[in-house]
Amino acid sequence: MEIKTVINPFENALKNFDMAADVIHLEDNIRNHIRLPERELTVNFPVRLDNGNVISVTGYRVQHSTARGPGKGGVRFHPDVNIDEVRALAAWMTWKCAVVGIPFGGAKGGVVIDPKKMSMSELERVTRRYTSEIAFMIGPDKDIPAPDVYTNSQTMAWMMDTYSMISGRTVLGVVTGKPISIGGSQGRNEATARGTVFTIEKAAKKLGIKLNGASVVVQGFGNAGSIAARLMFDLGAKIIAVSDSKGGIYYPKGMNPTEVSIHKELTGSVLGFKDSEKISNTEILELPCDILIPAALENVITEDNAGQIHARIIAEAANGPVIPEADAILHDRGVFVIPDILANAGGVTVSYFEWVQDNYSFFWKTMDINKYLKEVMDESFDNVMAITEKHKVNTRIGAYATAVAKVAEAIRLRGVFP
Ligand code: NAD
């Protein structure tokens, strides 16, 4: 019997952090301080189901660092959520906000439920009770949640309303990723994918790859993945395979992602699209292609399959899809990895724009949002490449080194209290 070791994403986040800390010769006192999260909360609460039964639900909120500003990070609803995953996701938010230079720290939340098995009214009760449990810890100048896997703008509307009811006033800036009519931002829904595509354009230019006609594979056809597929299709790329939690489809002629989205909307999955061939979520990663976009969950590229990845560019729309041992293999094989803390930072960047708009009660046009997003992503890509080349490391360590140096500078300047 093969015994698989469970991959702990927080340990992987720490491995990358330690490598970056070595590269920038980070002093021990700061290294020891930012390795671990500042604050962690676990909550257990009852939720009444539609049939009258009451279940017990566990949730988490972790603030990894608030050295550069309030905590910022999404809330994930998933049956496998655990404290180490939330810690890793919170740490990645710290590094991500630092990479793109927005004045936030890193935080993340998770609720251990299977949202696919719950009705809308049950999800609303889970969301409202979870929000009330973590309410003392969040706030527009403390910690600002947002959507993540299996949460969306409706979830954020319930969170904002619950927090506002507790506060006795409407507090739009407590969460981002809200619907436009209640303080959401133009372009937020597409921002993660748009940011990923801006980084792909930069990487392709650097490597001399033409995106018109380039073949693209997307694992995870949700918010980030489906929109990234559509934006790549709009640039003339050929989307040859996509997948969701039920499996993948291979369509070598190239599919129109909008048609796939309609099919998924109608049937609940990408499976069964037109004349596509069924393919597993493991096989999809190993297809020969120019650009591979992992956009589902973490730990999908490990030392077991890194040698079989045939993509020229991996653009990490997902958080933590490649483990550190796989990074070394990919680097040796010449695969260009655009690391998560850079590739998917467009989401938090437009979340920052949303928060600024809420605080000023002055809302910007889509054109302006996308222009500022492009400026931030292009500049961040160039900064990461400069550090990567300066230290002769792989792109992930280059991105971490960029981020860790900024967080360390904030800690040094703020000093030690008391
Ligand atoms: P989502 O819930 O909209 O979509 C997730 C997709 O992944 C769904 O299509 C689902 O079917 C699929 N999926 C789930 N388990 C899978 C599996 N085992 N194999 C293949 N596919 C699977 O979530 P999202 O917001 O698009 O997030 C996807 C990834 O992007 C996550 O890693 C998330 O942390 C990251 N991310 C999202 C944002 C954002 O703004 N939404 C920002 C930064 C990073």
Side-chain angles (χ1 to χ4, degrees), residues 159-172:
M159 288 191 79
M160 187 278 281
D161 184 69
T162 305
Y163 185 85
S164 298
M165 292 301 108
I166 294 168
S167 308
R169 68 199 162 92
T170 294
V171 188
L172 297 180

PDB file of all heavy atoms in Angstrom, residues 159-172:
ATOM      1  N   MET A 159     -21.928  39.310   4.504  1.00  0.00           N
ATOM      2  CA  MET A 159     -20.929  39.662   5.532  1.00  0.00           C
ATOM      3  C   MET A 159     -21.000  41.149   5.852  1.00  0.00           C
ATOM      4  O   MET A 159     -20.980  41.555   7.017  1.00  0.00           O
ATOM      5  CB  MET A 159     -19.507  39.296   5.074  1.00  0.00           C
ATOM      6  CG  MET A 159     -19.243  37.798   5.071  1.00  0.00           C
ATOM      7  SD  MET A 159     -17.499  37.359   4.842  1.00  0.00           S
ATOM      8  CE  MET A 159     -16.838  37.640   6.487  1.00  0.00           C
ATOM      9  N   MET A 160     -21.076  41.969   4.795  1.00  0.00           N
ATOM     10  CA  MET A 160     -21.139  43.421   4.995  1.00  0.00           C
ATOM     11  C   MET A 160     -22.386  43.778   5.788  1.00  0.00           C
ATOM     12  O   MET A 160     -22.338  44.578   6.733  1.00  0.00           O
ATOM     13  CB  MET A 160     -21.127  44.123   3.628  1.00  0.00           C
ATOM     14  CG  MET A 160     -21.023  45.634   3.674  1.00  0.00           C
ATOM     15  SD  MET A 160     -22.603  46.444   3.964  1.00  0.00           S
ATOM     16  CE  MET A 160     -23.313  46.374   2.336  1.00  0.00           C
ATOM     17  N   ASP A 161     -23.523  43.162   5.433  1.00  0.00           N
ATOM     18  CA  ASP A 161     -24.776  43.484   6.133  1.00  0.00           C
ATOM     19  C   ASP A 161     -24.697  43.069   7.607  1.00  0.00           C
ATOM     20  O   ASP A 161     -25.095  43.829   8.495  1.00  0.00           O
ATOM     21  CB  ASP A 161     -25.949  42.787   5.446  1.00  0.00           C
ATOM     22  CG  ASP A 161     -27.266  43.185   6.084  1.00  0.00           C
ATOM     23  OD1 ASP A 161     -27.670  44.358   5.921  1.00  0.00           O
ATOM     24  OD2 ASP A 161     -27.865  42.339   6.788  1.00  0.00           O
ATOM     25  N   THR A 162     -24.185  41.874   7.864  1.00  0.00           N
ATOM     26  CA  THR A 162     -24.102  41.397   9.254  1.00  0.00           C
ATOM     27  C   THR A 162     -23.214  42.317  10.086  1.00  0.00           C
ATOM     28  O   THR A 162     -23.595  42.747  11.183  1.00  0.00           O
ATOM     29  CB  THR A 162     -23.535  39.950   9.276  1.00  0.00           C
ATOM     30  OG1 THR A 162     -24.348  39.153   8.422  1.00  0.00           O
ATOM     31  CG2 THR A 162     -23.520  39.371  10.683  1.00  0.00           C
ATOM     32  N   TYR A 163     -22.040  42.642   9.547  1.00  0.00           N
ATOM     33  CA  TYR A 163     -21.119  43.529  10.272  1.00  0.00           C
ATOM     34  C   TYR A 163     -21.779  44.892  10.511  1.00  0.00           C
ATOM     35  O   TYR A 163     -21.660  45.484  11.593  1.00  0.00           O
ATOM     36  CB  TYR A 163     -19.811  43.693   9.480  1.00  0.00           C
ATOM     37  CG  TYR A 163     -18.768  44.480  10.216  1.00  0.00           C
ATOM     38  CD1 TYR A 163     -17.915  43.858  11.122  1.00  0.00           C
ATOM     39  CD2 TYR A 163     -18.652  45.853  10.029  1.00  0.00           C
ATOM     40  CE1 TYR A 163     -16.961  44.587  11.821  1.00  0.00           C
ATOM     41  CE2 TYR A 163     -17.709  46.594  10.716  1.00  0.00           C
ATOM     42  CZ  TYR A 163     -16.861  45.958  11.610  1.00  0.00           C
ATOM     43  OH  TYR A 163     -15.917  46.688  12.300  1.00  0.00           O
ATOM     44  N   SER A 164     -22.517  45.378   9.504  1.00  0.00           N
ATOM     45  CA  SER A 164     -23.182  46.680   9.613  1.00  0.00           C
ATOM     46  C   SER A 164     -24.276  46.647  10.678  1.00  0.00           C
ATOM     47  O   SER A 164     -24.443  47.598  11.438  1.00  0.00           O
ATOM     48  CB  SER A 164     -23.783  47.082   8.258  1.00  0.00           C
ATOM     49  OG  SER A 164     -22.762  47.216   7.299  1.00  0.00           O
ATOM     50  N   MET A 165     -25.027  45.534  10.736  1.00  0.00           N
ATOM     51  CA  MET A 165     -26.084  45.424  11.749  1.00  0.00           C
ATOM     52  C   MET A 165     -25.482  45.463  13.156  1.00  0.00           C
ATOM     53  O   MET A 165     -25.997  46.104  14.054  1.00  0.00           O
ATOM     54  CB  MET A 165     -26.879  44.113  11.563  1.00  0.00           C
ATOM     55  CG  MET A 165     -27.729  44.044  10.294  1.00  0.00           C
ATOM     56  SD  MET A 165     -28.944  45.367  10.193  1.00  0.00           S
ATOM     57  CE  MET A 165     -28.279  46.406   8.926  1.00  0.00           C
ATOM     58  N   ILE A 166     -24.342  44.773  13.318  1.00  0.00           N
ATOM     59  CA  ILE A 166     -23.677  44.751  14.630  1.00  0.00           C
ATOM     60  C   ILE A 166     -23.159  46.147  14.986  1.00  0.00           C
ATOM     61  O   ILE A 166     -23.216  46.577  16.128  1.00  0.00           O
ATOM     62  CB  ILE A 166     -22.506  43.727  14.618  1.00  0.00           C
ATOM     63  CG1 ILE A 166     -23.052  42.306  14.467  1.00  0.00           C
ATOM     64  CG2 ILE A 166     -21.653  43.843  15.883  1.00  0.00           C
ATOM     65  CD1 ILE A 166     -21.990  41.259  14.164  1.00  0.00           C
ATOM     66  N   SER A 167     -22.697  46.880  13.956  1.00  0.00           N
ATOM     67  CA  SER A 167     -22.081  48.194  14.181  1.00  0.00           C
ATOM     68  C   SER A 167     -23.111  49.314  14.283  1.00  0.00           C
ATOM     69  O   SER A 167     -22.767  50.438  14.670  1.00  0.00           O
ATOM     70  CB  SER A 167     -21.121  48.542  13.034  1.00  0.00           C
ATOM     71  OG  SER A 167     -20.218  47.494  12.829  1.00  0.00           O
ATOM     72  N   GLY A 168     -24.334  49.054  13.857  1.00  0.00           N
ATOM     73  CA  GLY A 168     -25.367  50.091  13.908  1.00  0.00           C
ATOM     74  C   GLY A 168     -25.242  51.124  12.807  1.00  0.00           C
ATOM     75  O   GLY A 168     -25.807  52.213  12.869  1.00  0.00           O
ATOM     76  N   ARG A 169     -24.463  50.842  11.779  1.00  0.00           N
ATOM     77  CA  ARG A 169     -24.327  51.747  10.625  1.00  0.00           C
ATOM     78  C   ARG A 169     -23.792  50.934   9.465  1.00  0.00           C
ATOM     79  O   ARG A 169     -23.172  49.875   9.685  1.00  0.00           O
ATOM     80  CB  ARG A 169     -23.383  52.914  10.933  1.00  0.00           C
ATOM     81  CG  ARG A 169     -21.961  52.484  11.105  1.00  0.00           C
ATOM     82  CD  ARG A 169     -21.093  53.491  11.836  1.00  0.00           C
ATOM     83  NE  ARG A 169     -19.895  52.809  12.308  1.00  0.00           N
ATOM     84  CZ  ARG A 169     -18.757  52.736  11.611  1.00  0.00           C
ATOM     85  NH1 ARG A 169     -18.620  53.374  10.478  1.00  0.00           N
ATOM     86  NH2 ARG A 169     -17.727  52.065  12.073  1.00  0.00           N
ATOM     87  N   THR A 170     -24.018  51.412   8.257  1.00  0.00           N
ATOM     88  CA  THR A 170     -23.541  50.671   7.090  1.00  0.00           C
ATOM     89  C   THR A 170     -22.040  50.879   6.912  1.00  0.00           C
ATOM     90  O   THR A 170     -21.577  52.024   6.799  1.00  0.00           O
ATOM     91  CB  THR A 170     -24.321  51.117   5.832  1.00  0.00           C
ATOM     92  OG1 THR A 170     -25.674  50.709   6.018  1.00  0.00           O
ATOM     93  CG2 THR A 170     -23.780  50.474   4.567  1.00  0.00           C
ATOM     94  N   VAL A 171     -21.303  49.775   6.900  1.00  0.00           N
ATOM     95  CA  VAL A 171     -19.837  49.855   6.791  1.00  0.00           C
ATOM     96  C   VAL A 171     -19.424  49.138   5.496  1.00  0.00           C
ATOM     97  O   VAL A 171     -19.141  47.948   5.492  1.00  0.00           O
ATOM     98  CB  VAL A 171     -19.146  49.196   8.008  1.00  0.00           C
ATOM     99  CG1 VAL A 171     -17.643  49.451   7.982  1.00  0.00           C
ATOM    100  CG2 VAL A 171     -19.734  49.681   9.321  1.00  0.00           C
ATOM    101  N   LEU A 172     -19.430  49.897   4.398  1.00  0.00           N
ATOM    102  CA  LEU A 172     -19.148  49.267   3.096  1.00  0.00           C
ATOM    103  C   LEU A 172     -17.733  48.684   3.043  1.00  0.00           C
ATOM    104  O   LEU A 172     -17.515  47.630   2.450  1.00  0.00           O
ATOM    105  CB  LEU A 172     -19.319  50.281   1.960  1.00  0.00           C
ATOM    106  CG  LEU A 172     -20.722  50.874   1.756  1.00  0.00           C
ATOM    107  CD1 LEU A 172     -20.710  51.861   0.592  1.00  0.00           C
ATOM    108  CD2 LEU A 172     -21.751  49.774   1.484  1.00  0.00           C
TER     109      LEU A 172
END
